Amino acid sequence: MATVSEVLIAIFIVFGGVFGLVGSYGLLKLRETMQRLHGPTKATTLGIGCVLIASMLFFFLIKGNLSIHELLITLFLFLTAPITANFIAKTFIIRNLSKDTLPESRSDYGWSVYDDPPTLTEE
Amino acid sequence: MITAALYFAFACFGLGLLICMWRLLVGPDSADRILALDTMVINVIALLVLYGILEGTAMYFEAALLVAMVGFVSTVAYCRFVLRGDIIE
């Protein structure tokens, strides 16, 4: 006996699983390290997102109690994913690229990977 | 039907964990290894949430939230260590 809500939840779970696998398969398929940064973003946003939506729908439609705290996980992952990607890119830059191959930073200070942050000077 | 979909998603995320493990072992640079660890954390969060649906309890969301926080902190700490040679300056 497959009701509409069960079909909807199953579709979301299957989509989440497929996108999670696609995100991890990107680690295997892409050649360069900087390209591999693109793969797990799909697993983070679409994979986890679909799984959490399925979980919310399951507890709302089947169990009958509305739970919001799945959205906390989504919010936390959406907040931390850019920071993580930025740090991993910086790690790659400092280990594999030299300062000469980077373009100019077009400001008064150099790239934050190589130079110390500007300090406040008292006038 | 939900149970079959859950087992399919378990297989998908488990296979993703295996792929991340391969990248963790092979990965030519430490940036690849950090990225593989971060992706493993994401897969584990998904597995915890799916297991919560299978068991029908809301208890696993706290575990998933904790894993998300610890995963983020560990990724940043690993990157800081490679970048600056120190985590808290």
Side-chain angles (χ1 to χ4, degrees), chain B:
Chain B
M1 187 167 198
I2 292 179
T3 314
L6 278 174
Y7 282 127
F8 174 75
F10 279 145
C12 283
F13 282 108
L15 195 60
L17 272 175
L18 280 178
I19 293 170
C20 292
M21 196 65 166
W22 185 80
R23 180 54 71 192
L24 185 67
L25 293 174
V26 170
D29 193 58
S30 52
D32 289 308
R33 296 199 166 92
I34 300 169
L35 188 62
L37 278 175
D38 193 55
T39 315
M40 283 176 99
V41 167
I42 288 166
N43 285 335
V44 166
I45 293 166
L47 279 179
L48 277 173
V49 174
L50 289 172
Y51 192 67
I53 298 176
L54 184 68
E55 293 286 313
T57 69
M59 202 175 68
Y60 289 93
F61 294 116
E62 281 82 5
L65 199 57
L66 278 175
V67 167
M69 287 181 179
V70 171
F72 169 66
V73 170
S74 62
T75 307
V76 170
Y78 198 173
C79 286
R80 286 290 293 175
F81 183 71
V82 175
L83 276 171
R84 305 285 292 185
D86 202 353
I87 295 169
I88 301 170
E89 296 178 35

Side-chain angles (χ1 to χ4, degrees), chain A residues 73-85:
Chain A
I73 301 177
T74 315
L75 182 69
F76 186 79
L77 282 177
F78 278 22
L79 280 178
T80 57
I83 306 171
T84 308

Side-chain angles (χ1 to χ4, degrees), chain A residues 9-27 39-51 54, chain B residues 4-17 19 39 42-43 46-47 50:
Chain A
I9 294 165
I11 285 173
F12 270 111
I13 290 173
V14 168
F15 261 62
V18 167
F19 276 112
L21 184 58
V22 164
S24 296
Y25 182 66
L27 284 180
T41 54
K42 278 78 198 169
T44 308
T45 54
L46 282 167
I48 300 277
C50 282
V51 167
Chain B
L6 278 174
Y7 282 127
F8 174 75
F10 279 145
C12 283
F13 282 108
L15 195 60
L17 272 175
I19 293 170
T39 315
I42 288 166
N43 285 335
L47 279 179
L50 289 172

Side-chain angles (χ1 to χ4, degrees), chain A residues 1-110:
Chain A
M1 186 183 77
T3 60
V4 178
S5 56
E6 282 189 5
V7 172
L8 194 65
I9 294 165
I11 285 173
F12 270 111
I13 290 173
V14 168
F15 261 62
V18 167
F19 276 112
L21 184 58
V22 164
S24 296
Y25 182 66
L27 284 180
L28 198 69
K29 172 88 175 164
L30 298 173
R31 291 193 184 88
E32 304 286 328
T33 306
M34 286 299 217
Q35 289 176 349
R36 275 181 219 125
L37 274 175
H38 290 290
T41 54
K42 278 78 198 169
T44 308
T45 54
L46 282 167
I48 300 277
C50 282
V51 167
L52 290 172
I53 288 172
S55 168
M56 283 181 73
L57 285 176
F58 177 77
F59 282 103
F60 181 59
L61 295 174
I62 307 286
K63 294 284 176 181
N65 49 355
L66 180 64
S67 64
I68 302 295
H69 56 296
E70 282 90 343
L71 287 178
L72 274 177
I73 301 177
T74 315
L75 182 69
F76 186 79
L77 282 177
F78 278 22
L79 280 178
T80 57
I83 306 171
T84 308
N86 188 16
F87 266 101
I88 292 172
K90 275 172 138 185
T91 307
F92 176 75
I93 285 173
I94 205 167
R95 283 178 59 90
N96 292 289
L97 299 177
S98 74
K99 204 173 177 178
D100 305 327
T101 56
L102 290 176
E104 290 294 318
S105 67
R106 288 192 286 176
S107 72
D108 295 340
Y109 307 103

